[in-house]
Amino acid sequence: MTAVSIKDLEIQFGSVKVLQNLNLDIASGEFIVLLGSSGCGKSTLLNSIAGLIDVHGGKILIGDKDMTHAEPKDRGIGMVFQSYALYPQTTVEGNLTFGLRMAKLPKDEIERRVARVSDMLQIKPYLKRRPAALSGGQRQRVAIGRALVRDADVYLFDEPLSNLDAKLRAELRVELKTLHEDIGKTMIYVTHDQVEAMTLATRIAVMQNGVIQQLASPEEIYNRPANLFVADFIGSPAMNFLSGTLGAVGERVEFRLKDGHVLDVSAYPFAKRPSAPMEAILGIRPEHLAISPREGLLPLDMAVNVIETMGADTVIWGTCGAEKISVRVNSELKLNPPRGSMLKLGFSLGSASLFSAADGLRL
Amino acid sequence: MAQRQEKNIARFGVYAFLVIMAAFFLMPLYVMVATSLKTMDEVRGSSIFAFPLRPTLEAWATAWNSACTGLTCAGVSVGFFNSLKIMIPSTFLSIMLGAVTGYALSFWRPKGAGVIFAVLVVAAFIPYQVFIYPLVRVLSQVGLYNSLGGIIMVHVIFGLPIMVLMFRNYYAGLPRDLFSAARVDGGGFWDIFFRLMLPLSPPIMIVAVILQSTHIWNDFLFGLVFAGSDNRPMTVLLNNIVNTTQGEKAYNVDMAATILTALVPLVIYLASGRWFVRGIAAGAVKG
């Protein structure tokens, strides 16, 4: 069953089309993360699902009902905002019960729901306090609680952790994941933080310029990015890109690097085997470059430039031909190659990606 | 040492200037209070700056309940209650209407909100004398001319542009997410207004109350033109007392009546000055 279905959505601000022909189907119980940098239209999409902005074309179905122009309150949604948006004039309890009182729910039902949610989120001790007297993490918990008491079918999160410091963010991230597993409701979550996206999502929708670039599981997005944008956006340090020419030589497919190196990429799982020679880009994640090449790995040479120690990992920066690349290795190896020295690297085709240079799509 | 002395001299200069300015502005008040406490004999016999030798509240009593305003001789007390009858509903209505309109303009943004707002801003700066004659015609057409309802309506209409302006700017300074959250929580137009926006409005509310109540209390022209003889506000009666005395001018009574009339705004300012400044500042920073 689909919880939310978006068909040919079109939204414009003035004459600027922010979203165009956008389609997205979200199954019940999914945790969908809309990921993208600012201005990519992810918050616009979320707000249109919430009914907070006007839709100019297309349809939004929630629970199989057409909600394109319905009032936010009638959509069966709960929403958490980046700025918490707690009602400052009332207590935590007042915040939690605000919507329930407006809906004129019976008193004992309100009490039951507040008790359940405040237990779940451990905000019981603050019920009588005002939002101003709470820390950022507590406030966001209350904001999540306010969405949860609504007993909605779909919960919307608009960058809920962005205003918190790194440690709290990691804590609340885990809590959100547990919460999703506990209540099993559909969640749509907007963020620009790829760590949040990778850890929380059942599926990630990577967005750019109002277009969903790829909609897939975190593993798929990470290992098999659909295009150059997704490949570059996800992962830190970013994926290494080497440009070259792809061509068939008899039974074999060869990738000729700019510096003349030739790699045999016949084993690459091509969607369609290239026939004519074409410009292509080879993408390899820094951790997929092995520092001690074994049999069966494709070889690459790197001139060492800078070494960054990052605790568990060490990142070695350098160049391959004229192109900048990085290698992530385990710090336990205690590698410390001198600047300017050459390293022999190897990688397996199974973990590499090939993209067409012309349109950036995965081959 | 020399430096410190120089500093002291400079400081003395500043204080001297401030004291002189304060005295300058307080002088009329002193003259009024002093004169109102004198008998007419004393007023005639002494300088206007002289301190009253035998202070008496006689003039005040006369001003309050027996000074003549044209044909009737009932003092300014009638006007005091008339002014209250005009001020309270006018202030309340203009503020509530301004708050609702400002809230609608800044959060609901109906089509043409920008045009409406522009018209209101322009309207706030048109001298209202221009409207008097057309308004007299309109009000007499609908039977509200020379009535309490009529004068209240006039005050509400003319107070609206500035009230809408103030409330719109105040609400524009509140985070929009609050409004969005309340909408998701199920609030309609009035729910959000009464349960969320009004409870957040006291800072601007105080400014609005002070502005409107003093403005309406001090009004003379509208009261004279629209209120009708039964509802003449205190300012109009004060004018009549001062200008229609036969024979000797009772300066002491005039002064007392004037102070009585000015007392209400004075008390409002003194009691709420601190909030007033705070509210103006809040509005300014957030607007």
Side-chain angles (χ1 to χ4, degrees):
Chain A
M1 181 198 146
T2 52
V4 178
S5 178
I6 292 155
K7 297 192 196 314
D8 297 322
L9 188 69
E10 188 177 311
I11 288 173
Q12 51 193 52
F13 294 142
S15 59
V16 185
K17 293 201 167 154
V18 183
L19 298 177
Q20 240 180 318
N21 298 326
L22 191 136
N23 288 284
L24 179 63
D25 281 309
I26 298 169
S28 190
E30 265 198 291
F31 198 126
I32 290 280
V33 172
L34 306 176
L35 177 66
S37 41
S38 44
C40 73
K42 57 191 192 301
S43 284
T44 307
L45 177 56
L46 193 79
N47 281 325
S48 70
I49 297 172
L52 294 171
I53 51 175
D54 289 336
V55 169
H56 297 94
K59 269 188 184 176
I60 295 172
L61 307 177
I62 300 176
D64 295 328
K65 279 197 284 286
D66 187 347
M67 294 286 186
T68 315
H69 300 290
E71 278 292 303
K73 64 182 162 98
D74 302 326
R75 298 187 176 213
I77 53 162
M79 188 159 176
V80 179
F81 298 84
Q82 177 180 356
S83 63
Y84 322 130
L86 295 178
Y87 311 126
Q89 82 281 11
T90 178
T91 58
V92 168
E93 192 172 18
N95 267 277
L96 293 178
T97 59
F98 190 80
L100 307 180
R101 280 182 283 131
M102 275 195 289
K104 304 217 163 49
L105 252 64
K107 242 193 163 133
D108 51 332
E109 170 71 8
I110 294 181
E111 275 171 26
R112 204 179 54 75
R113 288 203 199 177
V114 169
R116 180 174 58 89
V117 167
S118 53
D119 267 347
M120 206 188 303
L121 294 164
Q122 296 142 36
I123 50 177
K124 210 157 219 167
Y126 328 125
L127 280 181
K128 299 289 173 209
R129 283 202 218 160
R130 289 192 181 233
L134 301 180
S135 70
Q138 290 165 343
R139 283 182 208 181
Q140 199 50 290
R141 273 208 187 86
V142 175
I144 294 168
R146 186 177 60 183
L148 289 183
V149 287
R150 288 181 54 73
D151 248 346
D153 299 315
V154 179
Y155 291 103
L156 309 176
F157 296 85
D158 191 1
E159 307 213 21
L161 307 183
S162 300
N163 284 5
L164 302 174
D165 61 62
K167 192 165 175 290
L168 255 173
R169 210 180 307 155
E171 267 174 46
L172 266 178
R173 204 169 63 211
V174 175
E175 277 183 39
L176 272 175
K177 188 159 178 114
T178 321
L179 186 72
H180 177 247
E181 277 161 14
D182 286 349
I183 65 174
K185 294 284 177 71
T186 312
M187 295 187 174
I188 308 175
Y189 188 106
V190 162
T191 184
H192 60 261
D193 182 322
Q194 46 169 303
V195 180
E196 273 172 33
M198 296 294 289
T199 51
L200 289 171
T202 53
R203 281 197 298 164
I204 299 175
V206 182
M207 293 184 69
Q208 188 206 16
N209 296 335
V211 177
I212 295 179
Q213 302 288 327
Q214 187 172 10
L215 173 64
S217 69
E219 295 74 27
E220 178 84 2
I221 295 248
Y222 190 76
N223 293 320
R224 292 174 47 79
N227 58 34
L228 271 175
F229 173 79
V230 176
D232 191 38
F233 191 77
I234 302 280
S236 172
M239 189 183 259
N240 298 309
F241 294 117
L242 299 170
S243 47
T245 322
L246 204 59
V249 182
E251 287 295 291
R252 300 186 341 147
V253 183
E254 285 182 347
F255 185 72
R256 182 181 294 273
L257 288 168
K258 282 269 153 69
D259 62 358
H261 254 81
V262 176
L263 301 170
D264 179 2
V265 294
S266 310
Y268 181 80
F270 284 105
K272 187 173 148 276
R273 252 177 80 96
S275 41
M278 64 187 293
E279 294 295 309
I281 290 163
L282 173 68
I284 312 157
R285 297 222 172 265
E287 63 272 29
H288 291 152
L289 282 168
I291 211 89
S292 43
R294 300 182 309 272
E295 197 63 23
L297 293 186
L298 294 173
L300 277 181
D301 293 326
M302 169 169 105
V304 176
N305 212 345
V306 177
I307 296 183
E308 274 186 325
T309 318
M310 307 175 94
D313 294 331
T314 298
V315 177
I316 306 169
W317 293 86
T319 51
C320 174
E323 284 159 312
K324 211 166 143 190
I325 62 169
S326 65
V327 184
R328 191 209 287 263
V329 296
N330 193 325
S331 292
E332 310 239 317
L333 294 177
K334 300 220 184 318
L335 282 178
N336 198 7
R339 189 187 169 111
S341 63
M342 296 298 287
L343 278 182
K344 290 240 173 271
L345 306 173
F347 70 98
S348 118
L349 266 184
S351 58
S353 299
L354 274 168
F355 303 98
S356 150
D359 55 12
L361 293 180
R362 185 182 186 86
L363 292 171
Chain B
M1 264 325 258
Q3 239 176 1
R4 181 182 283 185
Q5 227 161 28
E6 231 167 71
K7 217 174 179 180
N8 280 343
I9 291 168
R11 181 156 295 176
F12 175 79
V14 168
Y15 277 113
F17 177 74
L18 291 176
V19 167
I20 290 167
M21 289 314 285
F24 183 74
F25 281 108
L26 279 174
M27 203 164 55
L29 185 65
Y30 164 75
V31 170
M32 288 179 71
V33 173
T35 309
S36 73
L37 293 174
K38 293 173 185 172
T39 60
M40 267 320 283
D41 285 339
E42 203 182 336
V43 172
R44 272 192 302 270
S46 66
S47 139
I48 59 168
F49 296 110
F51 199 77
L53 293 173
R54 274 167 284 108
T56 164
L57 285 174
E58 228 169 88
W60 286 69
T62 310
W64 180 250
N65 54 35
S66 63
C68 290
T69 61
L71 294 176
T72 51
C73 291
V76 285
S77 58
V78 184
F80 176 81
F81 293 110
N82 282 344
S83 278
L84 278 185
K85 273 191 286 183
I86 295 169
M87 180 185 79
I88 292 169
S90 309
T91 304
F92 178 77
L93 285 175
S94 62
I95 289 176
M96 288 312 283
L97 281 174
V100 172
T101 316
Y103 153 74
L105 284 178
S106 55
F107 286 114
W108 291 88
R109 296 179 192 160
K111 280 213 171 69
V115 176
I116 295 172
F117 188 62
V119 169
L120 278 168
V121 173
V122 171
F125 291 101
I126 297 179
Y128 55 59
Q129 287 82 347
V130 172
F131 295 106
I132 287 183
Y133 179 63
L135 252 182
V136 169
R137 294 302 301 266
V138 170
L139 287 184
S140 60
Q141 286 287 320
V142 296
L144 278 172
Y145 183 57
N146 278 353
S147 72
L148 187 62
I151 178 73
I152 290 172
M153 203 170 120
V154 169
H155 278 304
V156 171
I157 291 172
F158 283 97
L160 212 50
I162 188 73
M163 288 297 109
V164 172
L165 217 72
M166 278 172 51
F167 277 97
R168 194 210 80 108
N169 286 351
Y170 179 75
Y171 290 136
L174 295 178
R176 193 175 170 77
D177 277 354
L178 267 185
F179 170 71
S180 299
R183 282 190 76 192
V184 173
D185 258 347
F189 185 92
W190 295 109
D191 274 327
I192 297 178
F193 179 67
F194 283 112
R195 290 169 188 254
L196 179 62
M197 294 306 163
L198 268 193
L200 291 176
S201 304
I204 198 70
M205 225 33 132
I206 287 166
V207 180
V209 167
I210 295 168
L211 222 60
Q212 278 303 88
S213 58
T214 55
H215 186 249
I216 292 168
W217 188 274
N218 289 336
D219 158 70
F220 175 78
L221 187 61
F222 288 152
L224 184 66
V225 177
F226 294 101
S229 48
D230 294 340
N231 307 305
R232 292 224 164 96
M234 208 169 179
T235 47
V236 173
L237 291 195
L238 171 67
N239 172 69
N240 292 355
I241 287 173
V242 174
N243 286 338
T244 62
T245 329
Q246 305 265 311
E248 183 190 47
K249 239 186 180 339
Y251 286 110
N252 52 355
V253 175
D254 292 352
M255 295 297 177
T258 308
I259 296 172
L260 281 170
T261 308
L263 217 51
V264 169
L266 204 66
V267 167
I268 293 176
Y269 274 128
L270 287 180
S272 54
R274 195 153 42 115
W275 291 311
F276 185 70
V277 172
R278 213 181 281 167
I280 287 270
V285 173
K286 285 180 181 164

